[in-house]
Amino acid sequence: MVDSKKTKTGAKDTPKPQVNQMWGGQFSSAPAELLAKINVSVGFDKRLFRQDIRGSIAHAKMLSRQKIITDADSKAIVDGLSAILRDIEAGNFTFNDSLEDVHMNIESALKDRIGEAAGRLHTARSRNDQVATDFRLYVRDAFDAFDAAFMALQRGLIKRAEEHTGTLMPGFTHLQVAQPVTLGHHLMAYVEMFGRDRERIRDARKRMNESPLGAAALAGTSFPIDREYTAQSLGFDGPMANSLDAVSSRDFALEFLAMAAISAVHLSRLAEEMVNWSSVQFGFIRFSDSWSTGSSIMPQKRNPDAAELVRGKSGRMFGNLMSLLATMKALPLAYNKDMQEDKEPVFDTVENLMVCVQAMTSMVLDFAADKEKMEEAASQAYANATDLADWLVRELKLPFRDAHHITAKLVKVASGKGKALEELSLKDMQVIEPKIRKDVFKVLSTIDSVKSRTSYGGTAPDNVRRAIADAKKQYLK
């Protein structure tokens, strides 16, 4: 599970730079203060601490299995890392900006805790393959968390759809009343959208589930490491086949951001409908006080702010995708420091997309539908015109284009009289088409219109009930 729990950091301002002991003996003076400021990443990459420790433990165990370090050193490293993990989770660990990133902070703390043995952990490993491994583990955890979150949203939508399999409402095209549908059918459309989002999650997760660990800086290592062991220990399907690709690829993060952006589109569309439906002009739904906000000046207002924020945050997630695409687009192989910029867009999207999915799930379960208002709206604006045209085709054997033309004329007549189509007399209809019979009125009621849409995927209540049963089997498992 992705965890963004905050941990202690060092001083608010970046401390005066010191020579970084992790860089080796070549450097005798500290970097410029501005270089230290732009170079430091611990302020955001510290959230990789679980993944970093998990990867380091797997690496240490492999080193001892391969007789590269002693069992005693391996045990000291594993025990020390486990203790550091407990400290961080308990909020008893201070991250130091002068140590640059999460990896150096943990390694430095390990040295303070167990001494010389800590220096053996980085044998046959580089920060390049280390961070690539940590980041893959983080994104994989994020994929799993969102698969579960979207399933919860689907469950909520299905629950509400079951309650409203026969609740009539207008279906829209161009935001104009088009044909009557049911609210259950409308909600199930989003179940399918989020189902495709989950398919993207699972597909991308499978593709990215390879281990970079052991690729070292870029060329592999001369030590007799066992990459299959570390891959298996970390739940990967296997090691990545090319060391250059292993440390330099970030397409797994791009796929995550692309999935998130598409999901954000779906969330935003549902949010937009909730904004519209809860307005006075529509009046289809009402949110409880728990999911409504007021106005500082207009006491009558009940604003759907949560839905608006879900809609608004979608743009932020689109920007995160474009940010990483722009960062990666012209980088030569292998690792480049530009890639430090890969994490913040992903972290931001993880945090904001999760809030949006969870908020939408709660809103779906919260709203109350005004069935009478929705049914009234479904019968307006000549929403049954297509049913009349279909009757002319089916009963009078007219070509559809001719039926369409006749129906349009009848709509014009009804509009001129200020009546609905079903309120026209048979005589009025026969002026336009003499062959029309009185049984035409059987297809012009809103409920009959909805019940007639029995083709696969249609809005007929029986169809919706079958779709709900199928969705439970497909998605809620």
Side-chain angles (χ1 to χ4, degrees), residues 309-326:
L309 285 166
V310 169
R311 186 178 60 187
K313 284 179 181 291
S314 62
R316 182 171 178 163
M317 287 177 265
F318 304 161
N320 286 336
L321 171 59
M322 294 309 300
S323 171
L324 187 53
L325 284 168

Side-chain angles (χ1 to χ4, degrees), residues 32-297:
E33 288 192 34
L34 189 56
L35 172 57
K37 185 175 182 180
I38 197 173
N39 196 46
V40 68
S41 61
V42 68
F44 55 85
D45 69 17
K46 63 186 178 183
R47 71 181 68 197
L48 295 174
F49 71 88
R50 285 192 178 86
Q51 291 81 13
D52 190 71
I53 290 173
R54 185 180 176 192
S56 291
I57 287 175
H59 184 66
K61 289 181 176 179
M62 180 276 296
L63 291 176
S64 66
R65 286 180 85 254
Q66 297 300 108
K67 309 302 182 185
I68 298 171
I69 66 174
T70 66
D71 291 345
D73 281 346
S74 177
K75 184 178 187 306
I77 290 169
V78 171
D79 290 346
L81 289 171
S82 299
I84 291 170
L85 176 61
R86 290 192 295 271
D87 285 347
I88 298 175
E89 290 180 330
N92 297 325
F93 186 95
T94 299
F95 285 96
N96 188 341
D97 284 355
S98 68
L99 290 172
E100 189 178 329
D101 59 27
V102 63
H103 322 292
M104 286 188 171
N105 268 267
I106 291 174
E107 186 173 335
S108 177
L110 184 65
K111 182 179 180 181
D112 292 342
R113 190 177 292 265
I114 69 170
E116 183 184 74
R120 305 188 190 284
L121 173 60
H122 212 54
T123 306
R125 186 178 72 171
S126 163
R127 270 194 300 171
N128 293 354
D129 64 333
Q130 183 179 2
V131 68
T133 302
D134 294 356
F135 200 22
R136 278 182 183 261
L137 289 171
Y138 179 89
V139 171
R140 190 179 69 186
D141 288 345
F143 275 133
D144 292 342
F146 281 110
D147 190 34
F150 279 115
M151 182 171 67
L153 176 53
Q154 288 179 299
R155 182 178 288 109
L157 287 163
I158 290 170
K159 179 179 184 296
R160 300 313 305 274
E162 282 185 300
E163 298 169 11
H164 294 286
T165 55
T167 300
L168 302 176
M169 67 172 291
F172 299 92
T173 61
H174 310 279
L175 205 57
Q176 305 293 316
V177 174
Q179 293 177 314
V181 296
T182 67
L183 177 56
H185 187 60
H186 198 119
L187 295 174
M188 289 301 294
Y190 286 99
V191 171
E192 295 300 318
M193 290 186 204
F194 296 126
R196 292 191 295 275
D197 291 332
R198 291 180 65 197
E199 288 177 8
R200 274 182 280 272
I201 287 171
R202 295 177 181 185
D203 182 56
R205 187 195 189 282
K206 180 178 180 181
R207 187 163 34 254
M208 60 86 66
N209 199 37
E210 295 180 327
S211 174
L213 192 57
L218 77 162
T221 178
S222 59
F223 288 96
I225 61 173
D226 185 347
R227 293 189 64 203
E228 291 285 353
Y229 173 82
T230 51
Q232 183 179 10
S233 298
L234 296 171
F236 289 112
D237 294 331
M240 296 183 72
N242 183 283
S243 60
L244 284 165
D245 180 49
V247 298
S248 63
S249 293
R250 292 297 185 268
D251 51 352
F252 65 93
L254 287 168
E255 283 203 82
F256 170 77
L257 292 175
M259 176 282 299
I262 295 170
S263 299
V265 170
H266 296 155
L267 289 166
S268 182
R269 294 183 74 180
L270 180 53
E272 167 71 5
E273 299 206 290
M274 288 185 167
V275 170
N276 287 336
W277 293 353
S278 62
S279 68
V280 173
Q281 288 75 18
F282 279 76
F284 290 176
I285 64 173
R286 180 183 175 89
F287 290 112
S288 72
D289 289 355
S290 297
W291 288 96
S292 302
T293 61
S295 165
S296 64
I297 189 173

